[in-house]
Amino acid sequence: MNYFNVDAIIVYAFLLLILLLGLWAGKNVKTIKEYAIANRAYGTGILTITMLATFITGSQSIGYIGYIYDDGILPVIPIIFCRAIIGFLFIAHYISPKILYFEGCLTLAEVMGKLYGGMARTWIGFLGVLYCLAFVILQIIWMGYIGELINVPNQWGMLLGGAFLIIYSARGGMKSITITDILQFISITMLVTLAVNVLIHKIGGIDNIFNKVPTNTFKIFQNPNFKNYLVYCLWGAFPSYLVSFPFIQRMLMAKDKRQLAKSQYIGMSYLTIFYMSLTLIGLAAIALKTIGDVNMPKQGSRVFIYLVEAYFPVGIKGIISIGLLAAVMSTADSFLHSAGILIAYDVVQPLLAKKYEVNVLRTSQYATFFLGVISLGVALIYDILPRVQYGTMDLGKGINILRDFVAVVFTIPLLAGIMGLKTDAKSFFVSMIATFIAFFIGRLFLPDLWFMPMVIAVNSITFFATHYIQNKGFVTVKRGTVVLS
């Protein structure tokens, strides 16, 4: 097998450039604030780019094309309308104006500590590490399949890509990640642009794509999966991912609420165009199958990989591969970075501060490195192509269950606290325990479709009911005059 073909060399050069750029950007990091949020030094453009690069995962992009291939344009509703538009508008209108009341915080767990006390901070710090590592593992697995596009064995692809992102993420923190995100964002944009243009040229124009696609592809209400996607819309609009650990860090990087809101609006606009382009790729795959490509995979999650292998020439395939790799790495490094800071800053330091002086910066760097090695090891064990979205993947259910459980535990209490609900530790811990019980029972007795909506409902009801009973009504606070927690 030729490991040094033209496409492979393009990918190797990209990986080396990412590594050198990341190490250079992070060489002078001296404080935990610099390591965690880069001293809030970046403008709106860079803040938006690092947010978008983190948001766009490799599995999300390839998975979305697969869903278009399987179910027609129906996935547009939960992904573009609910997640990209409603989700970002909600953050811009309701979270951006108030997140800066927590100026000085470095992590989501620290924000939760201010709202619900030190014990909540430690719990969210620990659970957050598990949540972040689930994302890191899944992205590293995708590196293996991207490697196969350039004739590199699956495990070698994971080892090479995983090792590089671990090194620069651990060394330079947010400074390294932000500067590499810029290059990765450019690569992702190039990936989509090139892929759309190549496929349009292959079919003979956009008009031909729509003419060759069967009419039932465009059915929404008559689609047999319409009811399922209504439930998916609830999960798509639930903003757990948008307020998860690396995204709260990016919000805390903003200089003011106007800059943060502006980055959300720009991000929403970009993602709308981005997902519409991916929709076009999915429709092109359907058109190619209709006009006679008998080798087109039956499984939607494998369609984009097949398109790259079958329709993209040498050189272009390498550029597409670095775009896919960029989408994977820009998400993996952000979540790995968050995990390292959470364990050092929100778990180890609070627990040991009374007896020992903890060098939080150094501990975060070591923690990031070792958690990265653990994630890489787990990824090498689970050599299965994941279908991440909507909980339908094959990869050991435990990773998805763990991630979704943590997402439900922190989302409602975090949003309620940021938006001004009077907070106390009891409401948080009662809802967390109830969520755990609901997760256990729901996994045993409920179908996958209704499992997550039920768990979200249980968390919300127990959280707000506990608050209402304790305060004999719903009570809000005025920032600056009331001490939280």
Side-chain angles (χ1 to χ4, degrees):
M1 186 175 289
N2 182 12
Y3 297 164
F4 292 95
N5 55 72
V6 172
D7 296 314
I9 291 172
I10 292 173
V11 173
Y12 298 153
F14 173 77
L15 283 172
L16 183 60
L17 179 60
I18 287 288
L19 177 63
L20 295 176
L21 195 61
L23 292 175
W24 171 79
K27 63 181 179 179
N28 293 320
V29 173
K30 296 178 180 178
T31 67
I32 185 61
K33 183 178 180 182
E34 199 173 8
Y35 189 79
I37 60 173
N39 282 335
R40 303 171 67 192
Y42 297 117
T44 304
I46 294 179
L47 184 65
T48 305
I49 285 173
T50 187
M51 176 188 65
L52 286 170
T54 302
F55 183 92
I56 300 170
T57 68
S59 51
Q60 214 177 57
S61 304
I62 297 173
Y64 177 77
I65 293 170
Y67 285 119
I68 294 293
Y69 181 83
D70 289 337
D71 300 316
I73 65 166
L74 196 53
V76 166
I77 300 173
I79 300 301
I80 298 180
F81 182 71
C82 293
R83 195 171 197 184
I85 296 178
I86 293 179
F88 275 80
L89 284 176
F90 173 80
I91 301 298
H93 277 274
Y94 297 105
I95 304 303
S96 297
K98 297 180 179 180
I99 190 68
L100 296 181
Y101 284 114
F102 301 91
E103 182 179 349
C105 292
L106 303 182
T107 65
L108 185 156
E110 189 176 11
V111 172
M112 289 292 283
K114 284 188 174 293
L115 292 168
Y116 300 99
M119 185 67 72
R121 176 184 178 181
T122 301
W123 269 100
I124 290 297
F126 174 72
L127 292 173
V129 172
L130 302 179
Y131 176 92
C132 291
L133 291 188
F135 276 96
V136 178
I137 291 166
L138 293 172
Q139 299 311 304
I140 292 177
I141 289 171
W142 276 104
M143 289 181 186
Y145 287 89
I146 295 167
E148 290 182 352
L149 289 175
I150 55 172
N151 296 319
V152 172
N154 189 299
Q155 292 195 334
W156 278 107
M158 285 190 276
L159 279 169
L160 187 62
F164 277 34
L165 79 88
I166 290 168
I167 292 169
Y168 73 75
S169 299
R171 178 67 183 92
M174 186 59 76
K175 281 195 166 183
S176 293
I177 289 168
T178 300
I179 198 69
T180 55
D181 276 350
I182 296 172
L183 181 58
Q184 289 160 346
F185 177 79
I186 294 170
S187 302
I188 294 166
T189 304
M190 287 175 57
L191 151 70
V192 176
T193 304
L194 274 173
V196 169
N197 278 284
V198 168
L199 293 173
I200 287 175
H201 178 74
K202 183 69 180 179
I203 296 173
I206 292 179
D207 290 344
N208 278 346
I209 291 178
F210 287 95
N211 290 333
K212 300 298 182 182
V213 171
T215 56
N216 61 0
T217 302
F218 300 99
K219 291 181 179 179
I220 295 179
F221 299 107
Q222 297 83 8
N223 192 302
N225 290 322
F226 176 71
K227 292 182 180 179
N228 292 349
Y229 274 90
L230 283 180
V231 179
Y232 299 155
C233 284
L234 296 176
W235 188 226
F238 188 65
S240 60
Y241 186 62
L242 282 174
V243 294
S244 64
F245 300 88
F247 293 101
I248 288 293
Q249 276 182 260
R250 278 148 184 78
M251 292 183 200
L252 295 170
M253 287 170 63
K255 296 176 181 178
D256 53 55
K257 63 183 181 182
R258 181 172 296 183
Q259 183 193 43
L260 181 54
K262 188 176 180 180
S263 71
Q264 299 291 331
Y265 289 127
I266 297 171
M268 178 187 70
S269 302
Y270 176 88
L271 286 173
T272 301
I273 298 170
F274 176 81
Y275 279 115
M276 290 305 296
S277 300
L278 294 183
T279 301
L280 198 58
I281 293 173
L283 294 176
I286 297 173
L288 288 168
K289 181 180 180 181
T290 303
I291 62 179
D293 188 339
V294 296
N295 296 316
M296 191 71 67
K298 293 182 179 180
Q299 186 179 358
S301 61
R302 297 184 180 273
V303 163
F304 187 70
I305 301 297
Y306 169 78
L307 290 174
V308 174
E309 292 175 334
Y311 292 101
F312 289 74
V314 173
I316 298 296
K317 186 185 295 185
I319 296 173
I320 296 294
S321 297
I322 68 172
L324 289 173
L325 194 60
V328 168
M329 294 182 74
S330 60
T331 300
D333 59 17
S334 296
F335 278 92
L336 178 59
H337 171 245
S338 291
I341 294 174
L342 286 167
I343 198 71
Y345 185 66
D346 297 300
V347 178
V348 173
Q349 185 192 37
L351 292 177
L352 300 182
K354 292 182 179 179
K355 293 184 178 180
Y356 304 99
E357 183 177 348
V358 179
N359 184 329
V360 184
L361 172 60
R362 190 66 64 194
T363 305
S364 295
Q365 291 173 322
Y366 286 137
T368 301
F369 179 81
F370 286 113
L371 290 173
V373 172
I374 291 170
S375 299
L376 179 57
V378 174
L380 289 169
I381 295 172
Y382 289 98
D383 186 17
I384 305 170
L385 182 66
R387 281 286 295 269
V388 175
Q389 251 172 326
Y390 311 136
T392 58
M393 60 177 283
D394 304 324
L395 176 67
K397 297 270 186 186
I399 292 180
N400 264 348
I401 291 173
L402 179 63
R403 182 196 63 190
D404 292 343
F405 168 72
V406 178
V408 176
V409 165
F410 73 76
T411 303
I412 297 296
L414 175 68
L415 294 176
I418 291 174
M419 293 172 68
L421 191 74
K422 183 177 181 293
T423 57
D424 59 82
K426 184 175 290 186
S427 60
F428 168 73
F429 282 107
V430 167
S431 65
M432 184 175 76
I433 294 169
T435 302
F436 177 79
I437 296 171
F439 236 87
F440 180 75
I441 295 174
R443 180 50 66 186
L444 291 176
F445 300 107
L446 286 178
D448 287 344
L449 183 63
W450 292 103
F451 172 61
M452 286 307 299
M454 183 276 294
V455 174
I456 293 171
V458 168
N459 179 269
S460 302
I461 291 169
T462 53
F463 175 79
F464 288 113
T466 304
H467 168 87
Y468 188 89
I469 292 169
Q470 284 192 285
N471 296 281
K472 298 180 181 179
F474 292 108
V475 181
T476 58
V477 299
K478 291 183 178 180
R479 306 293 186 189
T481 60
V482 177
V483 178
L484 303 178
S485 76

